Amino acid sequence: MADDLASKYKDTVALPVTDFPMKANLPQTEPKRIEDWLKKDIYKKMFSRNEGKAKFVMPDGPPYANGNIHVGHVLNKVLKDIIIKYRNMAGQAAAFIPGWDCHGLPIELNVMKQLGPKRSTTSDEEVRSLCRKEALTWVEKQRLQFQRLGVLADWENPYLTLAPDYEADEIRVLADILDHGLLTRGEKPVFWDPALQTALAASEVEYKSHKSPSIYVAFDLTEPSKKKLGLDAEKVSLVIWTTTPWTLPANYGISLHPDFEYGVFKADDRQVIIAEELKEAFEKETGRSLNKLKSFKGSELERLEAQHPFFNRTSLVVLGEHVTLEAGTGCVHTAPGHGADDYVVGMKYGLPVKSPVDEAGRFTDDFPEHKGVSIWEGNKLIVEKLKSSGHLLGFSEIEHQYPYGPRSKKPLIFR
């Protein structure tokens, strides 16, 4: 092959093709080239050429300062570098101010792993100091790694979220938001990791196969509500279905779909109200035979009240478009402090947003009978409580997809 090429280019090649150096030695030559760029301050020269001209502004979303860069960092920074270089070559003043996110769980987790058992004897102030040191260490390492990619930026003057002036600017922006009347405060349910005691964004959540209790629970209508429907049986119950018994202490409502047909059925010692289309599924799951007595539109049942199965309070019947006929009874257990749809419909009807569960996933003073008990253990205790009181109409265990934490690899909750 080399002989063929030499013959073809004999009049234009001064040296034999076989003598051409074929090895680029990039691992050795690239660092030297980048070092030369830094010494000559190529970034500053590139940017200063266009000072005073039209600006091109590109905010650089900061990476976490918690580890070595990976291919995602490479894609991010190289694409930005291409854009900035192009804009400067096109005659615009395009600065590249890099930054780092120096706060958050990933950095704290690194420090916790390093401390191990010593965490219990390390003050929060010391932990914060170690987190700051950890973040700054990775800022420097990542800076060198980004430079190694050939990215031209103002590496000596980055923005860091832990810098006092940056934090001060955050406070000023928050104050500006407040001054414009745009700041509101409230509570809503979020994904929560009891193992790490932190909130998660929905985009972070992973779903895995998980075994949960599947229960059907009777909420007995109050006397005024029975009379409103013209029912005189001793027990008339709306039946909910849930795979999270531990959320029942936060129940303040039962959601029905306004357009579904709901039947009143005779079932052993009581009458039950469920969506008519789910009658056969209910019979199969609970082993109970149902005989239809009456029928109502969901909208006719709005604002009825049912007695909570183990608290001395009532749960309001509300209407919601989120109710489906895919599973359950068409009567949805509604705990505004533990579910997104529950929260929305609860706000509409003024239901309390309560979450009697602490950061570690244990019941609080709001559920004194089981204060300090893990919600996972609480599942079993609540099922037994419902069974003893006669409110448990069906029980089984199911395998289903359940949200897990990407870092703890443990099941999440809504709180």
Side-chain angles (χ1 to χ4, degrees):
M1 180 69 176
D3 290 340
D4 292 342
L5 287 172
S7 174
K8 186 174 181 180
Y9 295 104
K10 65 181 187 300
D11 296 328
T12 57
V13 178
L15 295 172
V17 173
T18 51
D19 291 341
F20 272 28
M22 300 299 290
K23 190 175 180 182
N25 288 322
L26 294 181
Q28 290 76 38
T29 59
E30 280 188 352
K32 291 179 182 178
R33 185 179 300 114
I34 291 167
E35 184 181 358
D36 186 53
W37 291 354
L38 292 171
K39 283 181 179 178
K40 293 178 178 177
D41 206 355
I42 297 298
Y43 166 77
K44 186 175 181 180
K45 290 178 180 177
M46 175 185 73
F47 177 70
S48 61
R49 285 177 58 190
N50 298 320
E51 281 188 294
K53 296 182 180 180
K55 288 184 178 180
F56 175 81
V57 180
M58 181 196 71
D60 181 28
Y64 261 129
N66 73 311
N68 291 309
I69 67 171
H70 51 67
V71 70
H73 293 101
V74 175
L75 180 64
N76 180 292
K77 280 293 187 288
V78 169
L79 288 177
K80 290 176 179 176
D81 182 57
I82 291 171
I83 291 168
I84 290 297
K85 286 174 178 171
Y86 164 74
R87 290 290 178 172
N88 277 290
M89 291 170 71
Q92 292 177 295
F96 195 163
I97 311 299
W100 276 273
D101 186 346
C102 304
H103 294 89
L105 189 62
I107 294 165
E108 293 171 22
L109 283 176
N110 283 356
V111 171
M112 297 308 171
K113 288 176 183 176
Q114 294 166 19
L115 286 173
K118 293 182 181 178
R119 173 61 183 99
S120 59
T121 58
T122 306
S123 70
D124 290 345
E125 186 178 2
E126 289 178 278
V127 170
R128 285 195 294 272
S129 178
L130 290 170
C131 286
R132 181 184 181 86
K133 182 179 178 182
E134 175 77 5
L136 291 174
T137 297
W138 284 110
V139 165
E140 187 55 34
K141 288 182 179 180
Q142 288 189 4
R143 186 204 320 257
L144 294 174
Q145 291 168 352
F146 287 136
Q147 289 175 340
R148 182 70 177 78
L149 297 176
V151 176
L152 297 183
D154 192 356
W155 295 114
E156 299 307 313
N157 299 289
Y159 71 90
L160 306 177
T161 62
L162 56 67
D165 58 344
Y166 187 92
E167 293 180 329
D169 282 340
E170 288 183 301
I171 299 300
R172 292 188 185 100
V173 171
L174 181 63
D176 198 35
I177 292 171
L178 177 63
D179 288 344
H180 282 79
L182 302 174
L183 188 64
T184 61
R185 183 173 184 169
E187 290 180 304
K188 70 172 187 176
V190 295
F191 279 111
W192 186 265
D193 190 330
L196 297 177
Q197 299 187 24
T198 186
L200 286 90
S203 59
E204 294 181 273
V205 176
E206 298 174 347
Y207 285 83
K208 297 183 179 181
S209 182
H210 183 84
K211 184 178 286 187
S212 296
S214 168
I215 63 172
Y216 291 81
V217 183
F219 280 66
D220 300 334
L221 288 181
T222 61
E223 289 300 322
S225 293
K226 286 194 294 183
K227 288 181 181 178
K228 186 176 179 180
L229 296 179
L231 304 172
D232 56 7
E234 183 180 348
K235 291 181 181 179
V236 180
S237 311
L238 284 159
V239 182
I240 65 94
W241 170 74
T242 183
T243 57
T244 55
W246 64 269
T247 63
L248 285 171
N251 176 281
Y252 285 90
I254 300 170
S255 297
L256 311 183
H257 195 288
D259 301 327
F260 292 172
E261 292 291 333
Y262 288 86
V264 181
F265 299 91
K266 179 77 172 70
D268 301 330
D269 62 337
R270 61 174 12 106
Q271 293 177 10
V272 299
I273 299 175
I274 64 170
E276 291 187 359
E277 288 191 35
L278 292 167
K279 171 182 176 290
E280 291 183 8
F282 178 82
E283 290 177 319
K284 181 179 178 181
E285 291 294 324
T286 65
R288 298 169 184 266
S289 297
L290 303 183
N291 295 306
K292 184 177 172 182
L293 303 173
K294 280 190 174 184
S295 183
F296 296 95
K297 204 84 167 175
S299 56
E300 297 179 77
L301 306 178
E302 185 180 21
R303 294 194 178 277
L304 295 181
E305 290 186 330
Q307 183 64 40
H308 190 283
F310 50 83
F311 281 154
N312 185 25
R313 65 169 187 253
T314 57
S315 297
L316 184 69
V317 176
V318 299
L319 303 178
E321 299 289 336
H322 66 287
V323 180
T324 72
L325 297 172
E326 292 178 5
T329 64
C331 306
V332 177
H333 153 50
T334 302
H338 288 307
D341 290 328
D342 304 41
Y343 174 75
V344 173
V345 74
M347 292 293 287
K348 178 182 176 182
Y349 284 88
L351 301 182
V353 182
K354 298 289 186 179
S355 177
V357 177
D358 69 13
E359 293 89 347
R362 297 173 300 224
F363 289 118
T364 65
D365 287 328
D366 291 325
F367 192 17
E369 184 179 349
H370 295 309
K371 180 184 176 182
V373 173
S374 159
I375 58 167
W376 311 115
E377 181 62 27
N379 271 340
K380 303 172 189 174
L381 298 174
I382 289 172
V383 168
E384 286 301 315
K385 181 190 291 289
L386 295 170
K387 187 176 181 180
S388 299
S389 66
H391 291 89
L392 186 68
L393 303 188
F395 171 84
S396 62
E397 286 192 328
I398 62 170
E399 287 269 351
H400 63 147
Q401 292 297 298
Y402 190 88
Y404 270 70
R407 289 176 282 272
S408 69
K409 308 302 180 184
K410 299 288 179 65
L412 304 177
I413 62 174
F414 257 116
R415 71 180 285 272

